[in-house]
Amino acid sequence: MNVRRLIPTTAVAGAVVLGLTALSACSTSDAADGGNGSGGGDKLKVTASFYPMQFLAERIGGEHVAVTSLTKPGVEPHDLELTPRQIGSISDSDYVLYLKGIQPAVDDAIKQSGVKNTVDAATLTTLENHGAEVDGHDHGHEGEEEGHGHEDEHGHEGEEGHEEHSEGDGHNHGQDGGADPHIWLDPVKYAEVAQGVGKSLEKADPDHAADYKKNTEALVAELNKLNKAYESGLKNTATKTFITTHSAFGYLAERYGLVQQGIAGIDPEAEPTPARIQELHTIAEKEKATTVFFETLASDRTAKTLAKDTGLKTDVLDPLEGITEKSKGADYIEVMESNLTALQKALGAK
C-alpha cells in the first residue's frame, strides 16, 4: 500500500468534527442528481464512494435517491483525500455505499460516521487474491447462476458475510497481489453486488421497496446480457493473453478464460521491476500478445515504453473507476461494451 495515500485516523477524526460544523451551514452537492444538497428534498440521501458504487445507487435508487459521489470525475480513486466537508457529508447521509479496500481515507471516514445504513460492497460477493498474473484457465465458474448467489444473506448493512476478505486498511498492492477489490469488472459479480444493494435499499427505505426491487431486476438483466456478450465474444480468440498496466482485470480474466499479465500489481501506480519487464517480453512473444493496455485515469508512459520495446500496439482497457470525457461510453454498460470490443481486437476474436 502506498503510504502517502493514507490519512491518519486522528486526522480523519478531527476532520469529522470540522465537516459536521461546516454542514450546519450547508450540505455538499458534489455529484449527480442534486447530491446531498437541498435539491434532494424527501429523497434518500445516498453517499457513494466512487463511480461503480454511484452507478449502482443511481440505477437501483432511481427517482427516490439523491446520490453524491465522494470521488469527482477524473480523480484516480486510489489517491482520493477527503475534505472536511466531504467527511461531514458522510455522517449526514441516510445510506452509504462503498467498497472497502479501494480508498483507505474513505474506509476510515465511514467507520467513524455512525451511519446506520452503511453497505460495503465487498461483503456482497466473494473476493479473491490476485497478483500481476491471473490465469482464467485455472478457475471455473460452473454452477454459478447468473446474477445470483449472495442476495439472501447480504441484504443488510454490509458488515457480515465475506468481511474476512477486507480487513485492514486495504488490499495488498504490488506484484504479490492480495484481496482484489475490482469486482465490478466481472458482470456476474457486479450483478451479485447489485442484488445485495437492492435489498439493502429496500430495508433502508421500505416505502419504495417495490421500486428498488423492480430497478434491481432490470439492472441485473442488463448485466446478464453483458455477461453473455462477453462469453460469446471472447470464446474463440487467437490468443488468451493480454497485458495491462493496471492489474484490475483479474476477475474478468477468470470469468472468460483469459490470462491477465499485469505490468505491475493491482496498484495502478506501482512501478514494475526490471525482472518483470523482461518476463513480459518473453510472455508477449510466446503467447502472441498483440497489445499493451493502459487506462484513462493514469499515466500511459509505462505501457508505451513496453510496447515500443516489444513492437506491440497500445490501446485503452478502462477499469471504470470514473467516467470522464475521455471515457469510451457514457456509463458502466457502454464502457464495458467498449472494453469488450478492445479485447476482441487485441485477442484476435474469430
Side-chain angles (χ1 to χ4, degrees):
M1 175 61 64
N2 193 336
V3 176
R4 70 180 178 81
R5 293 177 177 171
L6 304 181
I7 295 180
T9 301
T10 53
V12 171
V16 168
V17 176
L18 291 172
L20 288 172
T21 302
L23 279 165
S24 65
C26 62
S27 294
T28 184
S29 55
D30 290 330
D33 295 334
N36 278 351
S38 58
D42 294 331
K43 294 183 178 183
L44 196 73
K45 295 180 181 178
V46 176
T47 294
S49 56
F50 72 129
Y51 178 72
M53 302 299 102
Q54 176 189 343
F55 178 78
L56 291 179
E58 290 175 344
R59 287 294 303 272
I60 296 171
E63 64 182 5
H64 303 303
V65 299
V67 182
T68 294
S69 176
L70 294 173
T71 309
K72 294 181 180 180
V75 174
E76 216 292 328
H78 300 267
D79 292 337
L80 182 67
E81 294 186 2
L82 299 176
T83 66
R85 173 174 288 191
Q86 284 179 306
I87 293 171
S89 75
I90 297 172
S91 298
D92 194 47
S93 303
D94 300 313
Y95 179 99
V96 176
L97 179 60
Y98 76 116
L99 180 56
K100 190 173 182 180
I102 281 278
Q103 299 167 292
V106 173
D107 296 349
D108 289 342
I110 288 174
K111 183 187 262 187
Q112 298 185 50
S113 69
V115 176
K116 178 183 177 183
N117 296 301
T118 297
V119 177
D120 172 11
T123 67
L124 304 177
T125 186
T126 304
L127 269 63
E128 300 175 18
N129 290 337
H130 290 152
E133 178 178 351
V134 178
D135 188 341
H137 297 108
D138 295 336
H139 296 79
H141 294 277
E142 293 81 1
E144 278 192 36
E145 297 181 44
E146 294 176 353
H148 295 279
H150 297 275
E151 63 272 23
D152 292 335
E153 67 262 41
H154 297 300
H156 49 67
E157 279 73 44
E159 296 301 331
E160 300 174 14
H162 297 273
E163 189 174 2
E164 69 271 13
H165 293 282
S166 51
E167 289 295 328
D169 336 84
H171 53 273
N172 177 20
H173 290 300
Q175 289 178 210
D176 292 334
D180 184 354
H182 299 90
I183 49 179
W184 66 92
L185 292 168
D186 174 353
V188 176
K189 283 189 174 293
Y190 201 42
E192 291 177 358
V193 174
Q195 288 178 315
V197 170
K199 286 187 175 294
S200 65
L201 280 171
E202 290 175 38
K203 184 176 180 180
D205 184 18
D207 289 347
H208 301 112
D211 286 343
Y212 295 142
K213 184 175 182 179
K214 177 182 174 183
N215 293 344
T216 300
E217 289 172 350
L219 177 56
V220 168
E222 283 190 66
L223 294 171
N224 287 341
K225 181 180 178 182
L226 181 66
N227 172 49
K228 289 184 180 299
Y230 267 78
E231 283 183 336
S232 60
L234 299 174
K235 186 174 183 180
N236 296 307
T237 57
T239 180
K240 296 294 183 182
T241 299
F242 64 97
I243 299 172
T244 177
T245 54
H246 185 182
S247 300
F249 300 91
Y251 293 110
L252 186 149
E254 288 182 355
R255 179 68 57 190
Y256 304 111
L258 307 178
V259 180
Q260 171 187 263
Q261 291 289 353
I263 294 178
I266 53 180
D267 180 346
E269 293 182 2
E271 290 293 330
T273 64
R276 179 59 179 164
I277 293 294
Q278 183 57 48
E279 184 180 22
L280 287 170
H281 279 251
T282 303
I283 290 170
E285 184 176 353
K286 179 181 178 182
E287 302 299 333
K288 297 181 172 56
T290 66
T291 307
V292 180
F293 287 111
F294 61 94
E295 60 176 291
T296 54
L297 296 182
S299 171
D300 60 0
R301 179 175 53 85
T302 303
K304 289 186 173 179
T305 299
L306 178 63
K308 183 178 180 181
D309 290 345
T310 55
L312 303 180
K313 303 172 185 176
T314 60
D315 200 356
V316 171
L317 195 61
D318 196 331
L320 264 160
E321 293 177 340
I323 297 290
T324 71
E325 60 183 16
K326 294 181 179 180
S327 300
K328 295 184 178 180
D331 63 12
Y332 171 87
I333 299 294
E334 290 186 5
V335 175
M336 283 293 286
E337 290 172 343
S338 295
N339 280 348
L340 173 57
T341 299
L343 283 168
Q344 288 177 307
K345 181 180 178 182
L347 300 176
K350 301 173 183 176

